[in-house]
Amino acid sequence: MPLLTVLMPVYNGEDFLRESIESILNQTYTDFLFLIINDGSTDNSENIILSYHDERIIYVKNEQNLKLIRTLNKGISLVRTKYVARMDADDVSLPERLEKQVRYMEANPEIGVLGAWCQSFGEGYNHIVKYQAEHESIRYKQLYQIQLVHPTCIMRMDVLRSQSVVYDNNYTHAEDYELFTRLSHVTKLANLQEVLHLYRKHSNAVSTVYSKPQLEASIRIKQREFALLGVNATESQIESFKLLNYQDYNNLALSANEIMSLLESIVNANELSSYIEWDYLNNMLSQLWFSYCYETKQPIRVFKSSKLQYRLSLVRYAKWIIKRFY
């Protein structure tokens, strides 16, 4: 039995399917199973899949369209290998993706989910999307944005089985974000710091067609994670937390005192919940508070009124004074 199964659902994917399939079949790592589930496609997808005569391909056909989440859960239930890697029918995996990910997972048994950087392409897009490398920084950033790109990920099946983890149908179009935040409580997450996947942007992509329900689901996920941390955050507070991390101060609706209160409530709650490693979170929130006060020219007494203290050098102190008055 190989170590790895690559799971790829397909629904009416004829436009890009051949390129996606071949990017997996042409990997430098060759000892894997390729589980392709045709979710009731009505286009030429089935003929394209059946045109490949590779013994690694396992073809499953849903007689009716089960939608993505039920198809993914069906695929997970069929996997018997140590790892499962995700793949989308409109993306391209670079040749060394699987080799590098399996090697990393074998060397780091504490990691349950491993992603990688990706490069978007198509319809004028061409930029590299970078994500955090280590577990604590991934968990922190997942409080306001997803940190693992679903089709770049490889997961440890014993973690999924032992925790009875499946994709949740209550978070349609954000099921990956929900899964990774939930898994972050039972295993460690990581990202390889290199581009191993090409993420196609096009008019029929989920993030384009279903942007509104995806946003609504992501807000519910963030509110749940804040509640687990110990903070009953409103949608406005969650948005403000995101803007603070993006250093987008012009669109912040909260006052300096409200921002200080929000950040202090997070660090105080985390002291009790241990949601994120204490020193790491305290340092991140202190930097957020300093950056906000510095860039928005708050009086130094406002900055110092918070328990979130960022050590100021004499040079930085002088720059702050100059910045406030010029």
Side-chain angles (χ1 to χ4, degrees), residues 261-317:
S261 177
L262 173 62
L263 297 181
E264 287 185 350
S265 69
I266 293 172
V267 78
N268 289 336
N270 188 68
E271 191 170 10
L272 298 175
S273 67
S274 299
Y275 184 97
I276 298 173
E277 198 276 325
W278 165 255
D279 287 338
Y280 178 85
L281 182 66
N282 191 51
N283 183 56
M284 292 298 295
L285 296 183
S286 295
Q287 287 186 45
L288 273 190
W289 176 239
F290 164 76
S291 296
Y292 167 77
C293 290
Y294 180 79
E295 295 297 336
T296 60
K297 300 182 180 181
Q298 299 295 322
I300 291 180
R301 60 177 171 78
V302 172
F303 168 70
K304 289 188 173 181
S305 66
S306 172
K307 66 180 290 184
L308 298 165
Q309 291 300 310
Y310 184 82
R311 182 172 296 178
L312 283 175
S313 66
L314 289 175
V315 172
R316 182 60 64 86
Y317 185 89

Side-chain angles (χ1 to χ4, degrees), residues 199-240:
Y199 186 82
R200 191 187 302 272
K201 294 278 193 175
H202 57 91
S203 57
N204 292 322
V206 169
S207 58
T208 301
V209 178
Y210 301 105
S211 59
K212 185 175 179 180
Q214 187 178 64
L215 176 61
E216 292 171 350
S218 70
I219 290 170
R220 287 191 288 122
I221 294 164
K222 292 166 188 173
Q223 287 180 319
R224 182 191 70 185
E225 293 306 301
F226 269 95
L228 290 171
L229 192 156
V231 178
N232 292 320
T234 65
E235 184 176 335
S236 175
Q237 287 174 321
I238 291 172
E239 178 66 14
S240 295

Side-chain angles (χ1 to χ4, degrees), residues 150-187:
H150 201 191
T152 73
C153 286
I154 180 172
M155 296 179 279
R156 203 175 291 273
M157 281 300 302
D158 62 356
V159 172
L160 300 183
R161 292 193 190 101
S162 66
Q163 302 295 326
S164 300
V165 173
V166 294
Y167 294 89
D168 192 331
N169 212 39
N170 293 312
Y171 296 92
T172 306
H173 309 306
E175 68 283 338
D176 52 344
Y177 188 14
E178 192 282 328
L179 180 76
F180 298 142
T181 53
R182 191 154 33 104
L183 282 172
S184 73
H185 296 283
V186 297
T187 190

Side-chain angles (χ1 to χ4, degrees), residues 5-221:
T5 298
V6 178
L7 170 59
M8 185 173 78
V10 178
Y11 177 67
N12 289 350
E14 63 179 1
D15 290 344
F16 311 114
L17 183 55
R18 193 171 295 280
E19 188 177 6
S20 297
I21 290 176
E22 291 178 3
S23 77
I24 295 298
L25 295 180
N26 294 326
Q27 290 284 305
T28 57
Y29 183 86
T30 60
D31 190 19
F32 60 85
L33 301 176
F34 191 7
L35 176 57
I36 304 176
I37 304 182
N38 178 7
D39 188 24
S41 295
T42 57
D43 64 357
N44 197 42
S45 292
E46 181 171 48
N47 290 332
I48 292 173
I49 298 167
L50 294 177
S51 71
Y52 292 92
H53 304 285
D54 190 302
E55 61 183 11
R56 295 171 296 181
I57 293 177
I58 301 171
Y59 177 56
V60 174
K61 181 179 180 180
N62 296 339
E63 293 306 322
Q64 59 182 5
N65 179 232
L66 300 181
K67 306 295 185 182
L68 179 60
I69 293 178
R70 290 176 65 190
T71 299
L72 285 172
N73 287 334
K74 178 178 180 177
I76 293 293
S77 72
L78 295 173
V79 173
R80 298 292 180 266
T81 51
K82 186 175 182 179
Y83 305 113
V84 59
R86 277 284 288 110
M87 180 62 184
D88 282 347
D90 52 358
D91 290 347
V92 175
S93 282
L94 297 184
E96 294 184 338
R97 174 201 165 186
L98 298 181
E99 180 181 356
K100 290 182 175 181
Q101 289 189 311
V102 170
R103 184 192 307 148
Y104 183 94
M105 294 293 275
E106 288 288 276
N108 297 275
E110 75 282 5
I111 301 299
V113 183
L114 175 68
W117 293 353
C118 64
Q119 182 168 350
S120 63
F121 75 108
E123 298 188 0
Y125 289 90
N126 182 24
H127 66 276
I128 294 174
V129 185
K130 300 179 179 180
Y131 293 99
Q132 298 296 306
E134 298 178 352
H135 180 69
E136 292 298 336
S137 55
I138 290 172
R139 288 199 75 189
Y140 170 77
K141 286 210 165 188
Q142 280 191 155
L143 287 170
Y144 62 91
Q145 68 171 187
I146 193 168
Q147 279 295 298
L148 291 151
V149 178
H150 201 191
T152 73
C153 286
I154 180 172
M155 296 179 279
R156 203 175 291 273
M157 281 300 302
D158 62 356
V159 172
L160 300 183
R161 292 193 190 101
S162 66
Q163 302 295 326
S164 300
V165 173
V166 294
Y167 294 89
D168 192 331
N169 212 39
N170 293 312
Y171 296 92
T172 306
H173 309 306
E175 68 283 338
D176 52 344
Y177 188 14
E178 192 282 328
L179 180 76
F180 298 142
T181 53
R182 191 154 33 104
L183 282 172
S184 73
H185 296 283
V186 297
T187 190
K188 289 191 174 182
L189 316 179
N191 277 305
L192 292 179
Q193 301 294 281
E194 60 180 304
V195 174
L196 294 177
H197 191 81
L198 304 182
Y199 186 82
R200 191 187 302 272
K201 294 278 193 175
H202 57 91
S203 57
N204 292 322
V206 169
S207 58
T208 301
V209 178
Y210 301 105
S211 59
K212 185 175 179 180
Q214 187 178 64
L215 176 61
E216 292 171 350
S218 70
I219 290 170
R220 287 191 288 122
I221 294 164

